[in-house]
Amino acid sequence: MRLLVEQGLPGLLVVGPAGQPFAMLPASDVVRTLVPGYIQEDPVLAAVIDEPHADRLCRALAGRTLADRLPTARPFLPAAAPDRTAMELAELMARTRSPLIAIVERDAGGPGRLLGVVTAAHLLERLLQA
Amino acid sequence: MRLLVEQGLPGLLVVGPAGQPFAMLPASDVVRTLVPGYIQEDPVLAAVIDEPHADRLCRALAGRTLADRLPTARPFLPAAAPDRTAMELAELMARTRSPLIAIVERDAGGPGRLLGVVTAAHLLERLLQA
């Protein structure tokens, strides 16, 4: 979360032990990890959590890892090979409504090595230079 | 788009003529405005648009306004009154998967005046300070 705040990132790309891309978490999904399950189920309860209590909830996160908080279902991972065009990346970003696209080496044997990340701001910057 | 690129914003809040908030466009939706309709309908066509052609598509946007590109249906506008707690904003951001929340004055007569915008990074920063 500090990485996201300090660098003003639109989301995080989570990688596995061998550096392979695993999941993309938009910033709003990172915020979700701070919202207790009972509030996600019944949003009106958010109003009864006062600020000191919310602070305690956040302190309880110290030492917790992303792996503790990732969804257990199939992770969301918008990815493209490095030979894709700017228009292909724009189409994928628009369709998945993702603020990040992972650029991943082509590898027939599973998820390839992560080469980089393209944000919406990167892509717009490139397209505006045209 | 330059505003989004130069300030590294996660999205844009579009306001109406009297300054009242109208719609929130995540950066990925701003990218969508660069993707021609025929590619949105048939994504494989993105591969056949070469880079010089993509550049021409972007030059064609010069002088176009956001109003030209906004969805005509009911716009997406995640908004909260200024007396909401950090936990209420976090719950709203997580539920709507929005990178921005508009803070809007309470006004029984329609959409109230825009007071500010809270990003996911702002909210995480506040919660991490606890």
Side-chain angles (χ1 to χ4, degrees):
Chain A
M1 289 187 192
R2 289 199 193 280
L3 189 67
L4 209 146
V5 169
E6 286 164 13
Q7 307 210 4
L9 303 176
L12 295 175
L13 189 76
V14 184
V15 296
Q20 77 280 19
F22 176 74
M24 204 290 290
L25 286 183
S28 57
D29 282 6
V30 179
V31 169
R32 175 182 284 120
T33 67
L34 294 178
V35 181
Y38 61 90
I39 291 179
Q40 290 183 42
E41 279 164 33
D42 188 356
V44 296
L45 292 178
V48 302
I49 304 286
D50 60 10
E51 297 285 306
H53 187 178
D55 291 350
R56 279 195 300 276
L57 286 171
C58 296
R59 276 199 299 271
L61 286 179
R64 302 286 292 275
T65 66
L66 264 181
D68 293 334
R69 317 289 299 192
L70 281 176
T72 48
R74 190 177 164 71
F76 174 58
L77 180 62
D83 59 355
R84 294 303 182 182
T85 65
M87 187 54 73
E88 287 179 287
L89 293 185
E91 187 282 322
L92 179 61
M93 193 171 276
R95 178 159 41 90
T96 59
R97 303 196 77 195
S98 173
L100 297 174
I101 302 287
I103 307 301
V104 177
E105 229 168 31
R106 282 183 192 280
D107 184 345
R113 194 164 58 95
L114 179 68
L115 299 172
V117 173
V118 174
T119 66
H122 289 152
L123 196 55
L124 289 171
E125 189 172 18
R126 164 70 188 75
L127 291 167
L128 286 174
Q129 280 166 352
Chain B
M1 288 187 194
R2 290 198 192 279
L3 189 67
L4 209 146
V5 169
E6 286 164 15
Q7 307 210 5
L9 302 177
L12 295 176
L13 189 76
V14 184
V15 296
Q20 76 281 21
F22 176 73
M24 204 290 291
L25 286 183
S28 57
D29 281 6
V30 178
V31 169
R32 174 180 287 121
T33 66
L34 295 178
V35 180
Y38 61 89
I39 291 180
Q40 291 183 41
E41 277 165 33
D42 188 356
V44 297
L45 292 177
V48 303
I49 304 286
D50 60 9
E51 298 285 308
H53 187 176
D55 290 350
R56 279 196 298 277
L57 286 172
C58 295
R59 276 199 298 273
L61 287 178
R64 302 285 291 275
T65 66
L66 264 180
D68 293 334
R69 317 289 297 190
L70 281 177
T72 47
R74 189 177 165 71
F76 174 58
L77 180 62
D83 59 354
R84 293 303 180 183
T85 65
M87 185 56 71
E88 287 179 288
L89 293 184
E91 187 282 322
L92 180 61
M93 191 171 278
R95 177 159 42 89
T96 58
R97 303 196 77 195
S98 172
L100 297 175
I101 302 288
I103 308 299
V104 177
E105 228 167 34
R106 283 183 192 281
D107 185 346
R113 195 165 58 95
L114 179 67
L115 298 173
V117 172
V118 174
T119 67
H122 289 152
L123 196 54
L124 289 171
E125 188 172 19
R126 164 69 187 77
L127 290 167
L128 286 173
Q129 281 167 351

